[in-house]
């Protein structure tokens, strides 16, 4: 089994930056593609960014493209989400996800492992 634990969330002012981390433990070798999703109150969980196993391929939601950067350090079993120029609409619980596939995907159904989420709040 794989466990994913997010950290780095918090309160930040609009225009500020925040870096989220997702540490994987357990059968980490079974995880290839990693991704970040987020869910705001009253909304469905939405795709944010994903990264291939090697880090060579990334894909972002249009809403965060140019502001967020996903990266990973396989030696540390950790994936990151650098969030710059944060906006109030970025406020949500951010979830780390992992899948046993090598391609990037924005689909929730493709990810079999999920963290518990970390709260990101962006104030005006």
């Amino acid at each position: 089994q794989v466990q994913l634990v997010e950290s780095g969330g918090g309160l930040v002012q609009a225009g500020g930056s925040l870096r989220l981390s997702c540490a994987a433990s357990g059968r980490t070798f079974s995880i290839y593609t990693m991704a970040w999703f987020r869910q705001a109150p009253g909304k469905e969980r939405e795709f944010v960014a994903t990264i291939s196993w090697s880090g060579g391929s990334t894909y972002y939601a249009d809403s965060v493209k140019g502001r967020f950067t996903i990266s990973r350090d396989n030696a540390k079993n950790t994936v990151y989400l650098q969030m710059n120029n944060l906006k109030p609409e970025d406020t949500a619980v951010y979830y780390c996800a992992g899948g046993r596939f090598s391609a990037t995907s924005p689909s929730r159904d493709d990810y079999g492992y999920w963290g518990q989420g970390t709260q990101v709040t962006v104030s005006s």
Side-chain angles (χ1 to χ4, degrees):
Q1 187 58 45
V2 174
Q3 295 80 45
L4 302 176
V5 180
E6 304 93 337
S7 63
L11 176 64
V12 64
Q13 293 185 350
S17 298
L18 207 60
R19 191 189 196 197
L20 305 183
S21 297
C22 173
S25 61
R27 297 173 60 86
T28 57
F29 50 83
S30 67
I31 298 179
Y32 299 102
T33 300
M34 299 293 294
W36 288 95
F37 290 78
R38 66 186 183 186
Q39 186 168 23
K43 296 184 178 180
E44 295 183 2
R45 189 169 300 186
E46 66 175 356
F47 168 77
V48 175
T50 184
I51 186 169
S52 62
W53 182 88
S54 67
S57 298
T58 58
Y59 179 68
Y60 299 90
D62 290 341
S63 60
V64 305
K65 188 175 180 62
R67 299 188 298 120
F68 291 10
T69 302
I70 187 171
S71 62
R72 66 191 298 167
D73 186 339
N74 290 341
K76 296 181 178 180
N77 296 318
T78 303
V79 63
Y80 306 94
L81 184 67
Q82 178 65 47
M83 305 183 293
N84 297 326
N85 191 24
L86 284 162
K87 304 176 181 179
E89 50 263 45
D90 294 320
T91 295
V93 176
Y94 283 70
Y95 296 90
C96 178
R100 294 192 293 176
F101 54 94
S102 59
T104 56
S105 174
S107 176
R108 296 189 301 272
D109 295 337
D110 289 338
Y111 298 90
Y113 305 97
W114 294 85
Q116 294 301 306
T118 184
Q119 178 71 49
V120 172
T121 303
V122 184
S123 62
S124 300

